[in-house]
Every structure is written in structure tokens, then in C-alpha cells.
Amino acid sequence: MTLTNERPQLTGPDETPLIAASPGQTAATEAPKAARPRYLPGDPETREQLARMIRVNHAGEYGAKRIYEGQLAVLRNSPAAKTIRHMQEQEQEHLDTFSRLIVERRVRPTALHPLWHVAGFALGAATALMGQRAAMACTVAVEEVIDEHYAQQAEQLGDSEPELKGYIEKFRAEELEHRDIGLAHEAEQAPAYQVLTGLIKAGSRAAIWAAQRF
């Protein structure tokens, strides 16, 4: 008989490996690992990634609120005012949530906050001056980018942050509601719809990139 120093690997009834037991110890199954966010090699560490998510969402919701405030400044007496106000109130709820998470998670807000304050209002007012349909086209463009953005975040989080993921999925559904409202209000009939929405989408994606990092 050949002697060996290797300890035997124990298996359960279903042939699942168990932790090898030392003499006098009872073998136990390996403890399950906690779910982790789905990040790619080269991505920032988990804590920094979560901070970026909260920071950019906080900035984005603030910018969205300012867009609707700019639109209401121009269209406050129009038939669309009530609908725009409804969307602005939902964006305020989103903003309040991420403002709370900024404090609870000790996340640094974006340094570009003053820029979003001015740029968001200016974008809303400028599109509203082009007419109600252009204002709704702005909504469609912004919300389609936010839909993509929130979908990517939910996929990255997996099962690791159920509270944060729950907020993201709820707010994503409401952003899609805003997109549908815009389409129902003839956004696609706005002058130069494809050009207008293309420019707004490009600007929105650039804003997301910047707010994550600065």
C-alpha cells in the first residue's frame, strides 16, 4: 500500500465536492459566495463604480428637472403645461432619491453641477421656443438615452445592490413613460426631428460620460 500526504476530497450524495476535513473535524459544504456586480476587466473597483452610478444619476436627474423647468418657463400657459409639470414632478422625485443616496453613501457630487443648472434650463427653454413638438422631441431624445443608461446599470449591478437596482428600474420605467408621452404629443413631427434628437442624444451621452468622472 502506498502512503500519501494528500487529504481525501469528500463528496456529498450528489457528488458535490465538500471541504476536506482534518482528523477530528466534520466536513462542511463550502459557503456560498455573495453576489457581485457584473463588471468587466479594467473597470473601476466596486465602490468607485457604485459612486459613479450614484453621482451620474444624481446629476442626470438634476439636469432633467432643469430641462422641464426651462420648458415650463416658455410653455406654462400652453395645453402641454400640465403634462410637462407631471414629468417634472417625477424627475424631482428621482432627484430627491439620489440626493439622499449621495449623503448616505458619502458620494462626491459632480463638480459640473453649475453647468447642468444652466445647460439643462437652456436646452428646455430653447426647444420650447421652437414649439411644443420640439419640446417633446427633446424629451424623447433625452429619455431614450436615459433608458439605455439605466438598463446598463441594472445589468452591471446584478443581484448585488437590490435597493439601488430597484430605484433604477422604477425610474427607468417612468423615463420610458416620458418618452411615450413625447411621442404621443407628436414629437416626431417637430422640425428637423432626426437632426434635433441626434444632437440632443449626443450631448446627453457626453454629459453622462463627464458626470461619471468629474
Side-chain angles (χ1 to χ4, degrees), residues 39-184:
Y39 302 132
L40 298 174
D43 284 347
E45 292 184 1
T46 301
R47 187 179 184 282
E48 175 57 24
Q49 189 78 3
L50 290 173
R52 284 187 176 190
M53 284 185 183
I54 294 170
R55 175 163 51 250
V56 70
N57 293 352
H58 177 260
E61 297 297 353
Y62 182 79
K65 185 196 78 161
R66 290 292 289 164
I67 288 172
Y68 288 124
E69 288 175 349
Q71 291 181 350
L72 284 170
V74 176
L75 299 173
R76 59 182 175 273
N77 296 321
S78 74
K82 182 178 179 180
T83 299
I84 294 172
R85 192 169 291 109
H86 163 71
M87 295 189 289
Q88 188 265 337
E89 289 170 353
Q90 286 187 317
E91 300 295 359
Q92 183 65 59
E93 178 189 347
H94 303 176
L95 175 60
D96 290 344
T97 298
F98 285 114
S99 295
R100 176 175 58 80
L101 290 175
I102 281 271
V103 175
E104 290 179 355
R105 300 292 188 101
R106 299 182 180 180
V107 174
R108 172 185 61 79
T110 178
L112 302 175
H113 189 83
L115 177 60
W116 306 153
H117 181 80
V118 175
F121 188 91
L123 176 60
T127 53
L129 287 169
M130 295 170 63
Q132 180 177 305
R133 289 171 174 169
M136 292 297 173
C138 175
T139 291
V140 171
V142 170
E143 302 300 18
E144 285 185 349
V145 172
I146 296 303
D147 169 45
E148 297 170 1
H149 173 66
Y150 276 159
Q152 291 171 358
Q153 286 190 343
E155 173 64 21
Q156 283 185 318
L157 287 172
D159 299 324
S160 64
E161 287 278 342
E163 180 189 35
L164 178 57
K165 185 176 180 179
Y167 289 136
I168 287 171
E169 290 180 334
K170 177 180 183 294
F171 297 162
R172 181 189 175 199
E174 291 174 350
E175 306 294 5
L176 287 173
E177 176 196 334
H178 299 173
R179 179 205 62 187
D180 292 343
I181 288 172
L183 292 172

